[in-house]
Amino acid sequence: MISKKMKYAIKALCYLGEHSQSQMVVKTQDISNYKKIPKKFLEQILLELKKAKIVNSKQGNEGGYYLLKNTKDINLADIYRIFEGPIALIACASENFYQPCEDCIDESNCKLKKSIKTVRNETLESMKKITIFSLQ
Amino acid sequence: MISKKMKYAIKALCYLGEHSQSQMVVKTQDISNYKKIPKKFLEQILLELKKAKIVNSKQGNEGGYYLLKNTKDINLADIYRIFEGPIALIACASENFYQPCEDCIDESNCKLKKSIKTVRNETLESMKKITIFSLQ
DNA sequence: ACTTATTCTATAGAGTTAATAGAGTTTGTG
DNA sequence: CACAAACTCTATTAACTCTATAGAATAAGT
């Protein structure tokens, strides 16, 4: 299950996809109003998306946020990694967040790791097909 | 990412699959020793597996646990649902733990729900292929 | 200078996770 | 029939995460 944070992020990105033309920014307040997301919480979410180079911002009066990528190039796997972490069910099977298990004796022969890796790869392919464009 | 609880459960089930013959029970203490699982925590896990009718137990002296199913008939999706809940990333896309979104206006036309349902179905198929038998 | 926006850091309450503890119940055995 | 050894059940705890709020700092257009 994804967090409210990630669900808010998806909604915010959809709103940006629909309203931020090139060189046109959208205010946090607008996203908050139309997508019913607590404004202060949304600010944190947008900052994380900015750190991940999915969006960028313009400061000051008449500032706001805009997408850095085409909506077809932002997929569910990207967003999941930002807000939820690894797609793999166990860290040892992750490509982007790899960590060995504490108690693992022979990782290269671990059947659980191999299996979880397969699930990960298939879930990843599913997730990649879902883009902000496809959600609009 | 799965919890330690679920990982312990998988290990315990593997141990039971290898050591519990028909009408032969395995002591919690043995599983705890060989799989390095805190005994008291393991007891809770086994009780949950019993409630889910994956294992059964025999009380008293010379008691213990044994599998109720063939190891080929216990898959990762079953275990995931017991310990982590829905496989779907959002409850409205879940079959076994369905719950509507609080703020949803038109669920039947929600593109996010449709997409998450697809991811769920594909992940479910991946998970079903992983059984306790295949992990031994 | 003023207004209005983003940026950054802190905090708080609720809930979850991982683990421990202990009393209660069941059953085989001497 | 008492004892030992196992499962059963409930409670508690510390650490952590999630959700949300708050406020001061910074930036930029008018």
Side-chain angles (χ1 to χ4, degrees):
Chain A
M1 295 270 285
I2 61 171
S3 60
K4 278 195 181 186
K5 204 173 191 177
M6 172 156 168
K7 202 174 160 192
Y8 288 155
I10 294 170
K11 287 186 175 187
L13 288 170
C14 284
Y15 190 85
L16 283 177
E18 281 162 347
H19 294 85
S20 82
Q21 316 297 335
S22 58
Q23 294 165 323
M24 240 190 70
V25 297
V26 174
K27 288 175 196 165
T28 305
Q29 187 68 68
D30 288 348
I31 308 174
S32 168
N33 288 342
Y34 287 104
K35 292 293 181 178
K36 304 255 165 64
I37 306 170
K39 182 165 173 277
K40 281 298 209 174
F41 199 21
L42 178 59
E43 285 175 8
Q44 290 175 27
I45 292 165
L46 290 168
L47 277 176
E48 286 189 69
L49 288 169
K50 184 183 175 180
K51 221 179 78 188
K53 299 195 194 312
I54 306 278
V55 303
N56 203 0
S57 65
K58 191 162 166 286
Q59 281 204 147
N61 194 0
E62 300 301 305
Y65 283 90
Y66 58 96
L67 290 183
L68 268 181
K69 292 178 167 192
N70 191 289
T71 52
K72 286 182 183 173
D73 295 326
I74 308 171
N75 65 55
L76 203 64
D78 297 331
I79 307 171
Y80 192 93
R81 288 202 187 96
I82 295 167
F83 294 99
E84 313 293 338
I87 287 160
L89 293 173
I90 303 180
C92 71
S94 167
E95 293 287 331
N96 292 266
F97 298 82
Y98 171 79
Q99 261 196 310
C101 295
E102 292 167 19
D103 55 336
C104 197
I105 302 157
D106 185 4
E107 195 177 327
S108 59
N109 288 321
C110 178
K111 287 185 182 178
L112 184 57
K113 174 178 171 172
K114 274 199 197 81
S115 300
I116 295 291
K117 211 153 192 165
T118 305
V119 175
R120 180 212 102 107
N121 289 337
E122 291 174 9
T123 300
L124 179 59
E125 288 311 309
S126 295
M127 283 185 167
K128 275 187 179 169
K129 286 179 205 148
I130 318 298
T131 66
I132 295 301
F133 180 82
S134 78
L135 291 174
Q136 281 172 348
Chain B
M1 294 269 287
I2 61 172
S3 59
K4 279 196 180 185
K5 202 173 192 178
M6 170 157 170
K7 203 175 160 190
Y8 287 156
I10 294 169
K11 287 187 176 187
L13 288 170
C14 284
Y15 190 85
L16 283 176
E18 282 162 346
H19 295 86
S20 82
Q21 315 298 336
S22 57
Q23 295 165 323
M24 240 190 70
V25 299
V26 175
K27 288 174 197 165
T28 305
Q29 187 67 66
D30 287 347
I31 307 174
S32 169
N33 288 342
Y34 287 104
K35 292 293 181 179
K36 302 256 165 61
I37 306 171
K39 181 165 174 278
K40 281 297 209 175
F41 198 20
L42 178 59
E43 285 176 7
Q44 290 175 28
I45 292 165
L46 289 168
L47 278 177
E48 287 190 68
L49 288 169
K50 184 182 175 184
K51 218 179 80 188
K53 299 194 193 312
I54 306 278
V55 304
N56 204 359
S57 65
K58 191 162 168 285
Q59 279 205 143
N61 192 0
E62 300 300 306
Y65 283 90
Y66 58 95
L67 290 184
L68 268 182
K69 292 179 168 192
N70 192 290
T71 53
K72 286 182 183 173
D73 295 325
I74 307 171
N75 65 55
L76 202 66
D78 298 330
I79 307 170
Y80 192 92
R81 289 203 186 95
I82 296 166
F83 294 99
E84 312 293 337
I87 287 160
L89 293 172
I90 303 180
C92 71
S94 168
E95 293 286 332
N96 292 267
F97 298 82
Y98 171 79
Q99 261 196 311
C101 294
E102 293 167 18
D103 55 338
C104 197
I105 303 157
D106 184 5
E107 196 177 326
S108 58
N109 288 321
C110 178
K111 286 186 182 177
L112 184 57
K113 174 178 171 172
K114 273 200 197 80
S115 300
I116 295 291
K117 211 153 192 165
T118 305
V119 175
R120 181 212 101 109
N121 289 336
E122 290 174 11
T123 300
L124 179 60
E125 287 312 308
S126 295
M127 283 184 167
K128 275 187 179 169
K129 286 180 206 148
I130 318 300
T131 66
I132 295 300
F133 180 83
S134 78
L135 291 173
Q136 280 171 347

